[in-house]
Amino acid sequence: MEPFILGLGWLGVFSPLALGAVGSIIGCARAGQAACGAILETEGGYGRYIGVSAMPSSQVIYGIVVMLSLNRLFSLETAPGLFAIGFLVGLALMFGAVYQGYCCASAITVAKTKSEAFGISLAPAAIVEGFCVFAFVFALVLARSLPGGGG
Amino acid sequence: MPHAYVTLIASLPHLPHFTRAERLPISRKRLRERLGMLHPEDFELVQRASQFLAWQRQPVARSDADMVAAYRKLHVLIEHPSLWPLFEFPINVRTVMAALRRRQRGLPRPQRGEPWAVGPWVDRLPRHWEHPDFHLTAVFPWIPQAREYLTAGAALELERFLMDLIWQHVERVAPGYEFSLQTVLAYIFKWDMVQLWLARNAAAASQRFEELVTGVLHDFGPIFA
């Protein structure tokens, strides 16, 4: 049982980065495809399409920070907590990035047709980002309360 | 959200409402090129949709029986989960309008099995033939308005009204902000409606022709001056 619990601890430590990366890959790919489609149809302003398509990459950065904050010498006492925090924040980041990719793809489609609505069309993506930031910040706060976390 | 739809939908220009469109935002050739991004099985559904759109534009000389026979061949193809929600409504509109026209011309109630229309309401309409709206206003609230246009002989208004109904339906079923095969099919459907409307709008076509001619003559003007 011990190795299993310690294994879960390792899983929890690496989950934020791995799941965040998976989400960012999917989100950026989808938004990037929309950007490529918009480039086909428009005569200029390509930079902003590509810029928007990179928005879902922030989740992998949050994942790296959470992973570093969870990385410590861990024991049977701390491994379940590390797993719970790391795995759940990883899931939140992954889904956040995937769905932010949808929002960015839609924003690109809107911006292509109606450039004056470019800013407001990004609001849904920003809201999704807000939820990811919540998950990220409170994962850091909780990580400090685990033994060996300096809290 | 399969990958091909995202690039394809983002690459399609915005289609304005058919009454506001001054020209087609994308040519047939370029649209076909863009549709080449689809997977073969999706492309096959697009072909089926095109067959339906072609069916809608039957020559005037073709009889109701021919239309129904052509539809029966097509029905198997369009009864697909991605296609049917889009096409069921236009089929129903066509059937109800066929019933209204038939009654207006004083033709008798269609007999059972008679090939007069198509779709899921084809058996129910004759049962309520005497009622002005076939007792269907709860399902099709647009019937009284369409009947008024038909009675008044306002062909253009009727056509615009029906096309707008179908346009709204297509937008409801497949909103343009989604990335799905239905959105692609809805785009093709709406593109076809814009093309149809522009082709009927002789004034706009004439103006466009004038613009093109003026543009060409203006370019070459100084050479002959």
Side-chain angles (χ1 to χ4, degrees):
Chain A
M1 196 66 185
E2 253 181 57
F4 177 70
I5 292 173
L6 291 174
L8 284 182
W10 278 112
L11 188 68
V13 170
F14 195 60
S15 284
L17 171 60
L19 295 177
V22 169
S24 292
I25 289 165
I26 298 170
C28 286
R30 283 178 177 169
Q33 284 179 308
C36 290
I39 287 169
L40 262 180
E41 188 48 39
T42 51
E43 297 300 327
Y46 305 146
R48 66 180 180 180
Y49 300 141
I50 298 298
V52 172
S53 72
M55 266 183 89
S57 57
S58 57
Q59 283 78 358
V60 74
I61 299 167
Y62 302 152
I64 292 170
V65 176
V66 176
M67 182 194 70
L68 292 176
S69 76
L70 293 178
N71 192 21
R72 67 194 70 184
L73 282 173
F74 57 86
S75 60
L76 284 177
E77 286 172 359
T78 55
L82 290 170
F83 171 73
I85 295 172
F87 186 68
L88 290 177
V89 77
L91 281 181
L93 293 177
M94 183 179 76
F95 283 113
V98 170
Y99 283 94
Q100 198 177 44
Y102 280 87
C103 295
C104 291
S106 296
I108 289 166
T109 314
V110 169
K112 178 196 73 182
T113 307
K114 221 175 175 182
S115 56
E116 69 273 17
F118 179 62
I120 195 75
S121 68
L122 281 176
I127 292 167
V128 174
E129 182 79 23
F131 292 120
C132 293
V133 171
F134 281 146
F136 164 63
V137 169
F138 287 100
L140 292 181
V141 170
L142 284 178
R144 283 173 61 81
S145 67
L146 287 174
Chain B
M1 186 166 72
H3 303 278
Y5 308 144
V6 185
T7 314
L8 172 59
I9 291 167
S11 76
L12 296 172
H14 173 65
L15 266 180
H17 189 268
F18 64 93
T19 52
R20 291 191 295 273
E22 291 174 359
R23 64 193 66 172
L24 276 172
I26 183 167
S27 67
R28 183 184 293 274
K29 182 174 174 283
R30 185 163 282 192
L31 180 60
R32 199 171 292 159
E33 281 170 7
R34 297 274 162 89
L35 292 173
M37 291 184 204
L38 288 170
H39 293 297
E41 57 266 36
D42 291 340
F43 192 73
E44 201 249 319
L45 284 179
V46 169
Q47 303 279 25
R48 291 188 198 183
S50 306
Q51 285 180 36
F52 173 77
L53 294 172
W55 172 79
Q56 282 197 310
R57 293 180 183 183
Q58 296 290 328
V60 180
R62 211 160 192 188
S63 68
D64 289 348
D66 290 340
M67 285 281 280
V68 173
Y71 174 80
R72 281 183 184 147
K73 282 184 198 160
L74 189 65
H75 181 63
V76 190
L77 296 177
I78 61 169
E79 212 176 30
H80 183 278
S82 295
L83 296 174
W84 187 244
L86 277 174
F87 295 152
E88 185 186 5
F89 185 70
I91 288 168
N92 290 339
V93 169
R94 211 178 175 91
T95 301
V96 171
M97 288 313 298
L100 286 172
R101 287 195 186 99
R102 194 179 166 106
R103 201 172 54 187
Q104 197 201 21
R105 285 181 199 171
L107 294 171
R109 173 200 309 253
Q111 297 304 307
R112 197 169 179 80
E114 183 185 340
W116 69 281
V118 296
W121 295 90
V122 80
D123 291 329
R124 172 153 178 184
L125 284 164
R127 286 208 294 272
H128 303 284
W129 200 253
E130 282 74 29
H131 191 271
D133 303 321
F134 308 106
H135 285 306
L136 281 178
T137 41
V139 189
F140 302 127
W142 48 268
I143 293 181
Q145 182 69 59
R147 189 164 47 79
E148 266 181 41
Y149 284 134
L150 191 67
T151 313
L156 188 65
E157 283 78 7
L158 177 62
E159 185 70 4
R160 188 187 293 131
F161 175 69
L162 295 177
M163 278 177 76
D164 184 58
L165 279 177
I166 295 171
W167 185 280
Q168 304 299 339
H169 167 78
V170 171
E171 291 216 317
R172 217 169 24 249
V173 171
Y177 54 80
E178 284 183 358
F179 297 95
S180 65
L181 178 62
Q182 270 205 337
T183 311
V184 178
L185 295 166
Y187 189 92
I188 296 166
F189 203 130
K190 289 195 288 183
W191 182 91
D192 189 71
M193 287 170 79
V194 172
Q195 193 209 27
L196 198 64
W197 187 257
L198 288 174
R200 284 176 189 176
N201 191 344
S206 166
Q207 191 189 343
R208 175 81 184 126
F209 181 72
E210 285 289 326
E211 282 172 15
L212 287 171
V213 170
T214 311
V216 171
L217 290 180
H218 183 73
D219 283 347
F220 287 93
I223 297 172
F224 301 107

